[in-house]
Amino acid sequence: MIKKWFYILLFPLFLLSGYLIINHIKYPEVRWNWDQIDETVLDFPKGFQWGVATSAHQVEGNSINNWSRWEEGNFQDGLPHIHEGEKSGIASDHWKRFKEDILLIKELGVDVYRFSVEWSKIEPEEGLFSKKAIQHYQEVCDALLSAGIKPVITLHHFTNPLWFEDLGAFEKEENIKYFTRFSEFVFEELNAKVEKWCTINEPAVYTSQGYFNGVFPPGKKDPQLAGVVMKNLLLAHTRVYNLLKSHRNGKKHQIGIVKNIFPFDPFNRWNPLDWFVSRTLDEVFNQGALDYFITGNFEFNMPGMNKVVFNDPSVIKSLDFIGLNNYSHQRVKSQFSLNNFFRFQFYDDEEMTDMPYPIYPEAIYRSIKRVSAIGKPIIITENGVADKSDTIRPKYIDRYLFAVSKAIDEGANIKGYYYWTLMDNFEWSEGYAMKFGLYEVDFKNQKRTLREGSKHYIDIISKF
Ligand code: BGC
């Protein structure tokens, strides 16, 4: 009898240790000994494209969209949606100053400028396209081309026109048609000047921040709806891809999506709950979209919701490249609380950036390995650091580029690297507090000054 109970009790323990051991082996947290690494030894292939990236709402100024409306509001506890109640306002005034800014881009020595077009300016009312706005972007492209810099356009970078937001944006599959029509219009007008196109920036960030954490518009906390929005964003990508590729000039263009990867690691590698939560988050926000492009199957599944699933084998071909954004990793600690069953917490010895995550260059290396499984060329479409004091920027640049170079040495098919970002800007819910810019912006007079730490990027580019 005692023997039987002994085995019954032992069985779950056996299962639990199996679960821990498998996770340990399958998902190692890569850590390099930086004391033994010479991060100045870099190797980038001939033709590697260096770039710098921005997004319209963060730099242009005077946008009237879902974000400008969100900036006006408060959470239920009375705290403003944006840090210190800031508003994007004229932002870095890039709309007016783009010509000077392009000279600044040129001074960096980069080959590429990735920027987004602001849908709310181009189509301020449903079906009404602004000649003036599209002409503006034509001028931006012309100015870039005459400076010898290739424009790379992002069609959707977090912002929606108000009319689209009010129709339910990407919550409804039938709304995708508005985005495809807009994309087709922009492509028709700009395809003669632009070769590379990013359809949607970071579907998982749009979804998790807007529909799971509720800190981006529309500020909902609804995992079920998050799954639907994520599915619709991926569908929107595929539809735009197919539509633009079928354009008479489509074949000449390269079209991809921009996928962010933030590896989720457990706080305590011997705690099964930390593992369970970090694996669930990782599947939903990192792996789900990758699997979709690899297998054509999409699955969004979290405890307490009905799975969102769909299958579309045609998607496997719907990428000419994959854009990868990576900044760091997240460390997940499970907790017994009804409101929130986990929190992000880092170790004391992790060196933090001004954003709530550490310098962890191995994250970009791990992320490259993961997106490589799609089998398409990779472009690092964003990577950079918020560092107001400009003390850790050089280290960040050196070490992350070392990690990229190491991945290339090991066979990763990486075609380019675009630094985030050109100049200080409106960092979404963080307002103007985060200083990601290679150029510092004095928002009182819009003066731009190259940061000392940014010279590391210029030096590296000049060598390859
Ligand atoms: C976004 C950018 C943002 C950057 C830094 C990315 O998730 O695409 O718009 O500014 O991260 O937080």
Side-chain angles (χ1 to χ4, degrees):
M1 189 62 180
I2 296 183
K3 220 171 160 189
K4 186 179 151 201
W5 279 108
F6 179 71
Y7 283 118
I8 290 179
L9 286 174
L10 210 62
F11 187 63
L13 269 180
F14 176 73
L15 282 183
L16 213 59
S17 355
Y19 175 71
L20 285 174
I21 291 168
I22 290 172
N23 278 334
H24 262 269
I25 298 173
K26 241 177 128 184
Y27 308 110
E29 189 183 314
V30 181
R31 287 261 154 206
W32 297 328
N33 181 352
W34 287 98
D35 294 338
Q36 292 183 0
I37 289 176
D38 180 359
E39 54 264 57
T40 59
V41 181
L42 299 172
D43 192 13
F44 290 97
K46 233 178 157 243
F48 190 81
Q49 289 200 324
W50 298 99
V52 70
T54 63
S55 93
H57 186 75
Q58 294 179 271
V59 292
E60 281 181 353
N62 297 320
S63 298
I64 303 167
N65 55 25
N66 59 333
W67 263 90
S68 60
R69 183 157 72 187
W70 178 249
E71 291 157 22
E72 300 290 332
N74 294 326
F75 291 109
Q76 269 167 0
D77 59 10
L79 279 177
H81 286 156
I82 313 299
H83 175 74
E84 311 238 307
E86 282 173 334
K87 315 245 182 313
S88 53
I90 67 158
S92 322
D93 203 21
H94 187 52
W95 182 269
K96 288 210 197 102
R97 295 169 192 259
F98 75 89
K99 287 195 180 129
E100 310 157 35
D101 289 341
I102 289 171
L103 296 180
L104 299 180
I105 299 174
K106 198 171 163 56
E107 276 170 32
L108 298 173
V110 296
D111 314 294
V112 167
Y113 177 44
R114 171 185 173 228
F115 61 98
S116 71
V117 287
E118 179 54 41
W119 186 2
S120 64
K121 284 179 176 147
I122 296 178
E123 193 181 355
E125 283 174 50
E126 199 250 287
L128 277 184
F129 291 89
S130 156
K131 265 217 157 74
K132 195 174 143 231
I134 201 69
Q135 208 175 326
H136 169 85
Y137 291 114
Q138 272 157 350
E139 284 168 25
V140 172
C141 293
D142 287 339
L144 284 165
L145 291 169
S146 36
I149 298 159
K150 289 195 165 65
V152 171
I153 285 187
T154 308
L155 291 163
H156 189 274
H157 196 123
F158 296 166
T159 55
N160 296 324
L162 288 174
W163 60 264
F164 181 72
E165 189 78 351
D166 293 339
L167 285 173
F170 291 102
E171 291 171 24
K172 297 187 186 140
E173 190 178 329
E174 68 258 32
N175 288 346
I176 295 175
K177 62 176 182 282
Y178 299 108
F179 180 60
T180 51
R181 181 178 63 182
F182 157 74
S183 303
E184 193 178 26
F185 173 78
V186 176
F187 191 78
E188 184 65 52
E189 296 290 331
L190 299 179
N191 81 79
K193 307 174 198 291
V194 182
E195 270 168 33
K196 254 189 209 103
W197 299 79
C198 306
T199 53
I200 294 174
N201 183 68
E202 301 187 340
V205 171
Y206 179 92
T207 306
S208 58
Q209 299 294 64
Y211 292 89
F212 188 76
N213 299 321
V215 295
F216 280 16
K220 297 187 181 172
K221 291 186 179 182
D222 181 345
Q224 188 72 48
L225 190 55
V228 173
V229 170
M230 183 81 173
K231 178 199 81 163
N232 288 339
L233 287 168
L234 294 174
L235 273 178
H237 159 79
T238 311
R239 290 188 192 164
V240 169
Y241 179 89
N242 290 333
L243 183 70
L244 302 190
K245 283 306 236 192
S246 66
H247 184 278
R248 59 186 187 286
N249 296 331
K251 299 277 172 300
K252 288 190 252 159
H253 292 78
Q254 289 173 282
I255 304 168
I257 195 168
V258 171
K259 172 75 192 106
N260 73 298
I261 305 266
F262 244 98
F264 289 92
D265 289 312
F267 185 83
N268 179 348
R269 291 181 74 80
W270 295 109
N271 180 338
L273 278 178
D274 287 7
W275 268 112
F276 176 72
V277 183
S278 54
R279 288 315 310 150
T280 305
L281 294 173
D282 200 90
E283 283 299 321
V284 165
F285 295 113
N286 291 325
Q287 196 57 36
L290 300 184
D291 286 345
Y292 171 74
F293 288 110
I294 296 169
T295 63
N297 292 323
F298 174 80
E299 185 174 314
F300 191 99
N301 190 15
M302 295 194 93
M305 64 172 274
N306 299 322
K307 262 192 213 180
V308 179
V309 269
F310 80 102
N311 171 272
D312 177 6
S314 74
V315 71
I316 298 173
K317 296 197 201 86
S318 70
L319 284 175
D320 299 324
F321 67 89
I322 173 103
L324 169 65
N325 291 358
N326 173 265
Y327 290 85
S328 181
H329 71 153
Q330 292 292 4
R331 201 177 278 295
V332 182
K333 196 170 167 62
S334 56
Q335 58 187 22
F336 292 99
S337 144
L338 283 182
N339 299 337
N340 212 341
F341 47 93
F342 69 90
R343 63 174 189 272
F344 294 131
Q345 191 175 327
F346 292 94
Y347 299 156
D348 291 343
D349 62 356
E350 288 183 274
E351 191 177 1
M352 299 304 282
T353 66
D354 292 348
M355 289 292 274
Y357 47 72
I359 292 199
Y360 175 52
E362 293 88 335
I364 201 166
Y365 172 83
R366 290 169 70 187
S367 307
I368 292 167
K369 297 273 162 168
R370 289 176 74 169
V371 295
S372 293
I374 297 180
K376 294 286 177 183
I378 301 168
I379 298 172
I380 311 292
T381 33
E382 282 180 34
N383 172 247
V385 66
D387 176 25
K388 190 173 195 291
S389 60
D390 198 31
T391 46
I392 57 172
R393 189 167 280 102
K395 186 190 204 175
Y396 189 99
I397 293 173
D398 288 351
R399 292 194 173 178
Y400 276 72
L401 282 173
F402 173 83
V404 175
S405 159
K406 180 172 160 66
I408 295 176
D409 272 354
E410 293 172 12
N413 184 10
I414 308 178
K415 301 291 186 202
Y417 170 98
Y418 309 162
Y419 190 85
W420 184 271
T421 183
L422 172 64
M423 60 195 158
D424 293 340
N425 62 18
F426 178 75
E427 175 53 35
W428 309 113
S429 13
E430 304 293 338
Y432 288 99
M434 294 298 148
K435 307 295 183 187
F436 276 94
L438 289 171
Y439 289 93
E440 181 181 357
V441 176
D442 180 341
F443 287 99
K444 288 195 282 307
N445 54 20
Q446 292 292 339
K447 188 167 176 279
R448 281 90 160 117
T449 314
L450 184 69
R451 288 200 159 90
E452 268 309 302
S454 311
K455 294 185 179 158
H456 272 245
Y457 189 45
I458 299 180
D459 284 351
I460 292 171
I461 298 173
S462 69
K463 291 191 190 124
F464 297 97

